[in-house]
Amino acid sequence: MKQRYIVVEGPIGCGKTSLAHKLAQKMGADLLLEEPSSNPFLRQFYQDMRRFALPTQLFFLFQRVEQVGALKQPDLFAKPTVADFTLAKDPLFARLTLNDAEYQLYSRIYEHVRPQAPVPDLVIYLQASVDTLIDRVKRRGHAFEGTISEDYLRKLSEAYSRYFHSYDESPLLMVNSERLNFVDNPAHLDLLIERMNAMRGGREFFNRA
């Protein structure tokens, strides 16, 4: 496979972590995952977003920079890497949760650390309806997600849509995941990998009728 650094992205509940696992296993790649459970502010954030937004966001920012920093100097003989996050989407959450003064502070810090992160060779953006996202979040039953409101998920989904509408930092494969089950149907995963290998343009779509 020509891509060495692949990112699976999308809003909470889209299935990005599950797909990242399957892709890494299929490709024999290293797996790089977000670590939300290690953020000491996250549970409080979902209970009181306004109060805990800034420390939650800054913790994630520095965590993500540290995680992807080593990829800035790739080893040509190392395995490919599949991740379930990209640093470039970090401001999306910040703009959604921080007030103007906090966002100005966050932006200064982000611009300072952003050069430490490499640009992915490919971003796979998983799309799903808000109702599907809500259902998936409820069904997987993560304790810290129990207080996520439907309104927050709706705003987050809209923010992702706006962000990737104009995204041009790396090749982008937009995937409608409503009728695809990458975890339980190996044929669906094979179809996705075929599309990844066949990509020629900077932006393509994958939608299974």
Side-chain angles (χ1 to χ4, degrees):
M1 182 169 289
K2 58 187 177 181
Q3 299 100 349
R4 303 290 299 173
Y5 174 30
I6 299 169
V7 168
V8 184
E9 262 294 0
I12 298 169
C14 71
K16 57 181 176 289
T17 302
S18 297
L19 176 55
H21 272 282
K22 288 296 183 179
L23 275 176
Q25 184 180 23
K26 185 80 171 181
M27 297 167 51
D30 289 328
L31 184 63
L32 186 62
L33 301 178
E34 286 187 304
E35 301 174 358
S37 61
S38 66
N39 189 327
F41 305 103
L42 189 60
R43 185 182 300 273
Q44 295 163 302
F45 167 75
Y46 284 131
Q47 294 172 347
D48 188 348
M49 290 189 177
R50 177 76 292 283
R51 181 179 179 186
F52 292 100
L54 183 58
T56 301
Q57 196 63 48
L58 289 178
F59 186 95
F60 273 135
L61 175 61
F62 288 119
Q63 181 187 66
R64 290 163 180 159
V65 168
E66 184 175 351
Q67 286 180 280
V68 302
L71 300 176
K72 190 71 172 178
Q73 292 84 30
D75 182 348
L76 295 178
F77 300 99
K79 296 179 181 179
T81 297
V82 178
D84 70 345
F85 69 95
T86 174
L87 187 70
K89 68 88 184 280
D90 204 78
L92 182 154
F93 283 85
R95 183 67 280 184
L96 196 63
T97 60
L98 303 180
N99 63 35
D100 289 343
E102 290 171 338
Y103 186 73
Q104 289 180 11
L105 171 62
Y106 164 86
S107 296
R108 292 179 64 184
I109 298 172
Y110 174 80
E111 290 301 324
H112 180 73
V113 301
R114 182 170 62 91
Q116 299 178 39
V119 177
D121 297 313
L122 173 66
V123 173
I124 301 170
Y125 167 41
L126 296 183
Q127 298 173 303
S129 69
V130 175
D131 288 340
T132 296
L133 297 176
I134 292 170
D135 179 64
R136 289 175 179 174
V137 169
K138 288 180 177 178
R139 281 193 288 114
R140 69 189 186 185
H142 292 175
F144 64 86
E145 293 178 345
T147 56
I148 299 179
S149 69
E150 294 185 8
D151 181 63
Y152 177 73
L153 283 175
R154 195 173 304 278
K155 289 179 179 178
L156 184 61
S157 178
E158 292 171 354
Y160 264 96
S161 295
R162 290 192 300 270
Y163 174 72
F164 280 110
H165 179 73
S166 57
Y167 179 84
D168 61 359
E169 291 190 16
S170 57
L172 177 67
L173 180 58
M174 305 177 72
V175 178
N176 184 341
S177 66
E178 293 282 351
R179 297 182 179 87
L180 293 165
N181 186 339
F182 300 115
V183 174
D184 300 319
N185 193 330
H188 290 179
L189 184 64
D190 290 340
L191 284 172
L192 176 65
I193 292 175
E194 286 180 13
R195 287 300 303 271
M196 292 164 59
N197 287 328
M199 282 193 66
R200 294 294 181 267
R203 174 183 293 257
E204 295 187 12
F205 297 86
F206 178 33
N207 183 23
R208 183 175 181 271

